Amino acid sequence: MKKYAVIGNPINHSLSPILHNHWLKENNINAIYDKIKLEENQIKNFINKIKKKELAGCNVTVPFKKSVIPFLDELSFEANQTQSVNTIILKDDLLIGHNTDIVGFQKAIKSLKYTIKDKRIFILGAGGVTPSIIFALNKMGVSEITISNRTKEKAEKLKEQFQNISVTEWGKLPDFDVIINATSLGLNNETINLDFSNIKDDKLFYDVIYNPSETNFLKEGRKLGNKIDNGKLMFIYQAFEAFKLWHMIEPQVNNEILKLLKND
Ligand code: ATR
């Protein structure tokens, strides 16, 4: 039986095993998918297990999406551009790092039937997921991207990777059409300390967080009359792309899947 896993720290919250094991069963694939909590100094050894075929592949989540890179043989174009890997495969005995968060985000936005082309985007947070979102937004032809992060230097550093972004002070709101929460604020019911009271009702509020399904950030966006969405479909579609890479099968994304991941 083939083995797959998601690695991260913490990892308990991860819904990847539920999703992948459902699809494995549905497609009669003789494999299991586990979640494994690692410390930074265990990554090398773990990835070696894929090389030795003790494991068939893995997903990578916070905080290891960058730290796995030195142990891989090759990166896909997207993984290299974002310096972020969330899926590892073994191909012709080479360990290859992919980034399926990018397509995950693109497909999630597409499913909203929201025209993001030529829109002004404001991203809160400059952590692990932000490069993938910027890369996807650039592919989708947005007109402006502004980033704000509590630790400003981290946002400034992203300019080395993405020349077209601007950075604004944490706490300030530029003009925007779409605001994206890519911070971890909201995972534990925190509010984001920004004054949205002057925001009109024609925006899109998008939260990468999907558990809870409606963070305070999304609640506020909704109360003001804006369109809102959480990161559930982004999560599902990044898993869909990883599944495709490992098994060459496109799994089903339907109501059953959405229900399977119902978490609050
Ligand atoms: P990492 O920063 O290790 O990549 P992450 O979970 O990918 O971790 O990102 C966390 C994001 O949430 C960061 O943008 C972080 O801001 P800092 O770079 O300043 O740490 C943001 N964040 C977390 N707690 C926050 C808080 N209390 N206020 C504002 N931003 C916060």
Side-chain angles (χ1 to χ4, degrees):
M1 184 185 271
K2 281 189 176 178
K3 283 186 189 158
Y4 297 84
V6 56
I7 57 168
N9 192 345
I11 200 64
N12 223 358
H13 67 283
S14 175
L15 297 176
S16 291
I18 292 178
L19 190 51
H20 279 277
N21 285 321
H22 173 89
W23 282 334
L24 287 169
K25 200 170 161 206
E26 191 173 68
N27 290 285
N28 296 313
I29 298 170
N30 187 24
I32 51 162
Y33 186 111
D34 208 352
K35 53 184 168 191
I36 300 174
K37 183 178 164 189
L38 289 185
E39 301 301 327
E40 188 89 33
N41 62 10
Q42 296 174 302
I43 294 176
K44 185 180 180 178
N45 196 22
F46 179 85
I47 289 178
N48 243 325
K49 289 186 182 176
I50 306 177
K51 194 104 180 182
K52 290 191 282 182
K53 300 191 176 148
E54 288 171 31
L55 247 99
C58 76
N59 279 134
V60 183
T61 188
V62 179
F64 301 136
K65 291 187 181 187
K66 193 178 168 74
S67 41
V68 294
I69 292 177
F71 310 115
L72 303 175
D73 300 310
E74 278 177 24
L75 295 182
S76 70
F77 176 72
E78 289 83 1
N80 191 36
Q81 290 289 306
T82 50
Q83 287 294 292
S84 177
V85 166
N86 79 325
T87 306
I88 299 176
I89 67 170
L90 189 70
K91 195 178 169 203
D92 303 329
D93 285 323
L94 292 177
L95 287 165
I96 305 177
H98 287 265
N99 178 334
T100 70
D101 290 327
I102 297 168
V103 180
F105 180 75
Q106 268 182 280
K107 286 196 169 173
I109 295 293
K110 252 193 204 147
S111 73
L112 275 179
K113 310 254 179 285
Y114 178 84
T115 311
I116 205 157
K117 191 172 183 294
D118 297 327
K119 295 291 195 312
R120 297 160 304 168
I121 318 294
F122 181 40
I123 304 177
L124 300 167
V129 74
T130 301
S132 303
I133 290 177
I134 298 173
F135 191 91
L137 288 169
N138 280 335
K139 270 174 81 180
M140 291 187 278
V142 303
S143 67
E144 278 171 33
I145 302 176
T146 308
I147 315 273
S148 179
N149 195 53
R150 175 181 60 176
T151 315
K152 195 179 177 189
E153 304 84 72
K154 264 168 76 181
E156 291 287 355
K157 192 129 194 12
L158 283 172
K159 281 188 183 166
E160 292 168 16
Q161 271 165 284
F162 304 101
Q163 282 79 17
N164 66 326
I165 63 171
S166 354
V167 170
T168 191
E169 296 291 330
W170 182 250
K172 285 202 178 144
L173 279 183
D175 284 338
F176 64 84
D177 304 302
V178 179
I179 182 166
I180 299 172
N181 178 33
T183 73
S184 48
L185 290 172
L187 276 173
N188 296 305
N189 205 30
E190 306 95 324
T191 42
I192 302 178
N193 221 352
L194 287 171
D195 181 9
F196 294 120
S197 53
N198 291 324
I199 300 292
K200 290 206 211 94
D201 61 0
D202 54 350
K203 316 289 184 211
L204 169 63
F205 277 58
Y206 186 92
D207 204 322
V208 174
I209 296 172
Y210 60 90
N211 185 13
S213 60
E214 199 173 289
T215 55
N216 290 323
F217 168 78
L218 290 186
K219 280 196 179 105
E220 193 149 0
R222 184 167 54 81
K223 268 187 214 145
L224 292 162
N226 295 284
K227 200 173 170 68
I228 64 167
D229 193 32
N230 69 23
K232 192 182 242 180
L233 275 180
M234 178 181 178
F235 170 72
I236 292 172
Y237 281 119
Q238 65 72 32
F240 172 97
E241 294 297 318
F243 196 92
K244 223 165 75 172
L245 281 168
W246 291 326
H247 312 293
M248 325 297 175
I249 290 172
E250 292 200 345
Q252 291 279 332
V253 176
N254 50 26
N255 271 338
E256 198 184 345
I257 293 295
L258 290 169
K259 265 195 236 148
L260 198 66
L261 302 180
K262 214 167 173 57
N263 39 31
D264 60 359

